[in-house]
Amino acid sequence: MKGPAVSAEELRRRRDLDDVPSRPQAIREAAIALFFERGYHGTSMRDIASALNMRAPSLYNHLESKQQLLQDIMISDITIMLEEFADATATTTDIIEKIRRGAEAHVRHHARYARESRIGNTEIAALEEPSQSRLKSLRRSYAAEWRGLVEQAVAQGRASTPAPDLASSAIIDMGIGVARWFRTDGRLTDSTLATYYGDFALSLIGAPLMKGTS
Amino acid sequence: MKGPAVSAEELRRRRDLDDVPSRPQAIREAAIALFFERGYHGTSMRDIASALNMRAPSLYNHLESKQQLLQDIMISDITIMLEEFADATATTTDIIEKIRRGAEAHVRHHARYARESRIGNTEIAALEEPSQSRLKSLRRSYAAEWRGLVEQAVAQGRASTPAPDLASSAIIDMGIGVARWFRTDGRLTDSTLATYYGDFALSLIGAPLMKGTS
DNA sequence: CCTACCGATCGGTAGG
DNA sequence: CCTACCGATCGGTAGG
């Protein structure tokens, strides 16, 4: 017989269905795990290759450089976070509900993508330009959006905090902190956690919690 | 004439008065600045030496190893933080006031020692054993103390949060976040910041703020 | 405090 | 996908 019994396309289809990662995806996953555990500079290409039972030079058939790997991880993580935040806050016009849903999205992201989020918050200095400036700029916009929401709530008389800028920083930071300790296999789901933190956010800005809403 | 015009002791006395750091202190300070900016693995001994107009081998007249430098910085930082927290919470028996003062001490520390605190929270993986285990253990005790305080407030009917464990994590994490963005030369002093965050902590756990207390 | 230098390891390339 | 190997840089030592 000539030709393979199973075509390359067929294999690719099965892989997609079975959730078996492609080589580039597997490398990325290993890099995320190692950068999270040991940091970017604390991880060598040999470490990543070793986790996949490969040799370091073979990695370069699938990526350009170690730095490119970091940039992909960090930029795609913050892009996803910004999208999730935009989607969450767009589902209502009520400012308090916007803040609640924004905080939930923020925390859910830092729980679900704990490793990527932590890398995104600790390895900024390891990013080469222009990616570093781009990422910082995205983070500044995100913080500014949050500040705007809290200021709006205060302006509408729906929140009472005397320091909307600090309150929004505190909300962001308590979410970022989640990425340091949240474990997917723990007793809490990311959504349950997000619900609690949504309440924390409203309490923090001095917005009365409506009982029985959730 | 024989002997120096100014004795070594005299020089040391002047240095202490003028706040001119000793060589080991200057090295430690340079290491803190660089570990904060670039991370432990992103900083070389040559970088540290260069910041002091020295050559790397000369550093070894004042320290044992790069790792020892990191351990000193991290262990002394958390030791100071634990002391400040213990002192702050010991000044009152009222549970809510304990939490307020504890939160203020926590935030003040992360503002005043922003660089050391950030290193302490990002470079744990770079610590060799047994220091790494020791530091993790100290952090766990600190988190447990916080959880205990919040649970006590709830038990006494002074706070209403349904999740004291998460609330205490949120308080700790919003303080840790301060170390990422606080600048000593900014418009806020660490004490002003701490006062706001003390209120945030009480709001977060569902403890009514007493107006006009501060 | 320095220069000279060490072995180890790094990210990455050549070539198959 | 591999082995062989590159120049650069690392933490640290020897010796003065």
Side-chain angles (χ1 to χ4, degrees):
Chain A
M1 302 180 220
K2 55 185 179 179
V6 180
S7 71
E9 273 144 299
E10 172 62 12
L11 279 175
R12 208 175 306 119
R13 197 182 61 78
R14 288 187 191 172
R15 190 192 63 205
D16 290 351
L17 289 176
D18 293 353
D19 242 17
V20 176
S22 68
R23 223 31 171 171
Q25 282 169 337
I27 293 170
R28 186 190 153 96
E29 179 63 24
I32 288 170
L34 286 163
F35 291 170
F36 175 73
E37 284 169 23
R38 312 178 190 176
Y40 177 74
H41 290 303
T43 302
S44 70
M45 293 305 274
R46 284 160 178 83
D47 290 335
I48 297 172
S50 172
L52 299 164
N53 286 313
M54 295 169 68
R55 310 293 159 196
S58 302
L59 294 173
Y60 290 86
N61 289 308
H62 305 286
L63 52 85
E64 283 184 23
S65 67
K66 187 190 180 190
Q67 175 67 207
Q68 185 63 54
L69 202 47
L70 180 68
Q71 291 181 10
D72 285 349
I73 292 166
M74 292 180 78
I75 299 287
S76 85
D77 176 67
I78 194 165
T79 302
I80 290 170
M81 184 183 75
L82 291 172
E83 273 179 25
E84 290 171 346
F85 178 76
D87 289 351
T89 53
T91 56
T92 175
T93 55
D94 182 89
I95 186 63
I96 296 300
E97 202 51 31
K98 266 185 196 289
I99 290 172
R100 180 199 293 279
R101 295 181 195 178
E104 287 176 355
H106 178 72
V107 168
R108 199 181 300 114
H109 181 87
H110 285 82
R112 193 172 297 177
Y113 303 99
R115 297 171 310 166
E116 296 90 325
S117 297
R118 179 155 163 79
I119 293 167
N121 280 299
T122 55
E123 302 293 353
I124 303 181
L127 267 188
E128 291 172 10
E129 296 291 3
S131 291
Q132 182 176 134
S133 294
R134 184 163 137 68
L135 194 108
K136 283 178 175 172
S137 165
L138 289 171
R139 286 200 178 279
R140 266 195 302 273
S141 321
Y142 185 62
E145 276 190 74
W146 262 107
R147 192 167 53 248
L149 287 182
V150 178
E151 280 169 353
Q152 210 176 315
V154 171
Q156 291 183 18
R158 306 282 306 281
S160 63
T161 181
D165 53 341
L166 296 181
S168 58
S169 289
I171 292 171
I172 291 172
D173 287 341
M174 75 189 187
I176 288 174
V178 165
R180 218 177 307 111
W181 55 261
F182 185 81
R183 294 295 167 258
T184 308
D185 53 3
R187 57 185 176 81
L188 274 171
T189 66
D190 50 9
S191 291
T192 305
L193 185 76
T195 302
Y196 282 116
Y197 272 69
D199 281 347
F200 290 161
L202 297 190
S203 298
L204 206 150
I205 64 172
L209 292 185
M210 290 168 287
K211 307 278 177 171
T213 299
S214 87
Chain B
M1 303 180 212
K2 56 185 181 180
V6 180
S7 71
E9 273 144 299
E10 171 62 13
L11 278 175
R12 207 176 306 118
R13 197 182 60 79
R14 288 187 191 172
R15 189 193 63 206
D16 289 352
L17 289 175
D18 294 353
D19 242 16
V20 176
S22 68
R23 220 34 170 169
Q25 282 170 336
I27 292 170
R28 186 190 152 96
E29 179 63 24
I32 288 170
L34 286 163
F35 290 170
F36 175 73
E37 285 168 23
R38 312 179 190 177
Y40 177 74
H41 289 304
T43 302
S44 71
M45 293 305 274
R46 283 159 179 83
D47 290 335
I48 297 171
S50 172
L52 299 164
N53 285 313
M54 296 169 67
R55 310 292 159 196
S58 303
L59 295 173
Y60 290 86
N61 290 308
H62 306 286
L63 52 84
E64 283 185 24
S65 67
K66 187 190 181 190
Q67 174 67 208
Q68 185 64 54
L69 203 47
L70 180 68
Q71 291 182 9
D72 284 348
I73 293 166
M74 292 179 78
I75 298 288
S76 84
D77 176 67
I78 195 165
T79 303
I80 291 171
M81 184 183 76
L82 292 172
E83 272 178 26
E84 290 172 345
F85 178 76
D87 288 351
T89 53
T91 56
T92 175
T93 55
D94 182 89
I95 186 63
I96 296 300
E97 203 50 33
K98 265 185 197 289
I99 290 172
R100 180 199 292 281
R101 295 181 196 179
E104 287 176 354
H106 178 71
V107 167
R108 199 181 300 113
H109 181 86
H110 284 81
R112 193 173 294 178
Y113 303 99
R115 297 170 310 165
E116 296 89 327
S117 297
R118 179 153 161 80
I119 293 167
N121 281 298
T122 55
E123 302 292 353
I124 303 180
L127 268 188
E128 291 172 8
E129 294 293 2
S131 293
Q132 181 176 135
S133 294
R134 184 164 137 68
L135 193 109
K136 282 178 176 171
S137 164
L138 289 172
R139 287 201 177 279
R140 265 194 301 273
S141 322
Y142 185 61
E145 275 190 74
W146 263 107
R147 192 169 52 248
L149 287 183
V150 178
E151 280 168 352
Q152 211 176 317
V154 171
Q156 291 183 17
R158 305 285 304 281
S160 63
T161 181
D165 54 339
L166 296 181
S168 58
S169 290
I171 291 171
I172 291 171
D173 288 341
M174 75 189 188
I176 289 174
V178 165
R180 218 177 307 111
W181 55 261
F182 185 80
R183 293 296 168 256
T184 308
D185 54 3
R187 56 184 178 81
L188 275 171
T189 66
D190 49 9
S191 291
T192 305
L193 186 75
T195 303
Y196 282 116
Y197 273 69
D199 281 347
F200 291 161
L202 297 191
S203 298
L204 206 149
I205 64 172
L209 292 185
M210 291 167 287
K211 307 277 177 170
T213 298
S214 86

